[in-house]
Amino acid sequence: MPVRSDPHPVVERFARVRAAAAARYGPDSQAVTFLLYEELISMRTLLAGDPGCAPARDRIDELVPDIQSRYDTAGAVEPAQVYHRTVSVDPTVIEFDRGFFELRYRRALRDLGRRAVRLRDRDQALALLTAGACYLYAVDDEGDLWVWPQPHRLADVMFGWAPGRPAEGPRVVHPMLVPDRLRVRAAGELVVVGSPERVFVTANLKSGHFRPPRACAAEIRRAATSALELTSPVDVDVFTMPQPTVTPTC
């Protein structure tokens, strides 16, 4: 049986905060899931600085399945109207409805005055992205990785924006990252941590507009590994979303 390393002070601190959140909001609450996600990013940051940090590796091995299990049991409801469709498989490619995009999002995209940026190499990505911040991403139908160059706090992404905070302009949605073809192999949110020497990515498939299935995890893992010149696909954590259930009508 492998010998576990002694707990790291950061792991112990997260454990205390998580216990307090579980006591207040419940062990299966979104608050606890957020803390687990934040801890994973912290562990990846520790490992980037010290590849030999056994406590960080041990904790990552625990965190990834724990977070995924929480996503699996969260549940998702199919919206009344669906504006996406799967146009091919192997790899899966999902297309957003052109008419609805033009009606709902084209003007907002023009008002923003900018577009998503294609990640081409590690230096460009590290110059563009703030380590530890959350970004909307899309892998287009040709396999290229695009990010919207506006960082968000992880708490804002998971819990929504607090009332009273100043508006940051039109809301950006995933189809706005690929406005020319409106096709993706994957879409969601990602966080990059590390340095020019070692980089890790934590991503999910959380896109309500494209609803990428579990199979799309391979595409963001492949795209991130290539674009950021990662050592291995295992340096990319990807969390999949539960398949939506149809709301019964009476």
Side-chain angles (χ1 to χ4, degrees):
M1 179 179 295
V3 178
R4 282 189 57 83
S5 55
D6 293 333
H8 192 280
V10 176
V11 175
E12 295 181 325
R13 183 165 68 250
F14 268 106
R16 291 193 297 270
V17 175
R18 193 169 60 254
R24 182 172 183 179
Y25 302 108
D28 300 322
S29 64
Q30 190 178 20
V32 173
T33 301
F34 162 73
L35 288 169
L36 291 169
Y37 208 95
E38 192 174 52
E39 184 180 358
L40 174 61
I41 293 168
S42 295
M43 292 300 103
R44 285 299 191 188
T45 302
L46 283 173
L47 202 59
D50 179 10
C53 183
R57 288 200 308 269
D58 291 343
R59 187 61 183 140
I60 289 167
D61 289 343
E62 297 172 341
L63 285 165
V64 171
D66 191 357
I67 294 169
Q68 183 59 64
S69 69
R70 290 166 180 269
Y71 277 122
D72 289 340
T73 58
V77 177
E78 189 73 40
Q81 290 181 289
V82 176
Y83 296 101
H84 66 277
R85 65 190 182 102
T86 300
V87 295
S88 67
V89 294
D90 197 23
T92 295
V93 174
I94 306 161
E95 181 180 63
F96 193 75
D97 182 76
R98 170 63 63 184
F100 189 76
F101 175 82
E102 298 296 336
L103 177 68
R104 187 73 175 270
Y105 300 122
R106 176 63 73 180
R107 181 176 178 178
L109 183 60
R110 286 198 301 266
D111 290 346
L112 284 163
R114 55 178 166 171
R115 283 198 171 194
V117 177
R118 178 188 169 193
L119 297 187
R120 300 176 183 273
D121 58 56
R122 178 179 293 188
D123 289 343
Q124 177 235 14
L126 292 180
L128 176 70
L129 306 178
T130 300
C134 195
Y135 294 84
L136 266 64
Y137 81 85
V139 178
D140 68 17
D141 57 331
E142 295 182 344
D144 292 325
L145 176 58
W146 298 79
V147 296
W148 190 264
Q150 178 183 7
H152 296 296
R153 297 189 312 157
L154 183 60
D156 286 338
V157 171
M158 294 194 74
F159 297 119
W161 279 259
R165 287 192 60 188
E168 299 179 358
R171 177 181 171 229
V172 179
V173 297
H174 287 102
M176 294 164 69
L177 276 65
V178 287
D180 297 329
R181 291 177 56 79
L182 293 177
R183 292 184 172 190
V184 302
R185 295 185 184 185
E189 302 149 354
L190 64 75
V191 177
V192 174
V193 299
S195 66
E197 290 72 37
R198 188 70 187 270
V199 173
F200 293 102
V201 176
T202 296
N204 60 44
L205 296 176
K206 190 178 177 184
S207 170
H209 289 77
F210 286 108
R211 303 282 177 126
R214 188 180 300 268
C216 294
E219 289 303 310
I220 174 55
R221 184 171 280 114
R222 180 206 56 77
T225 300
S226 174
L228 281 82
E229 303 167 299
L230 303 184
T231 304
S232 166
V234 300
D235 292 344
V236 184
D237 305 307
V238 185
F239 297 105
T240 61
M241 311 307 293
Q243 290 302 294
T245 57
V246 178
T247 304
T249 58
C250 345

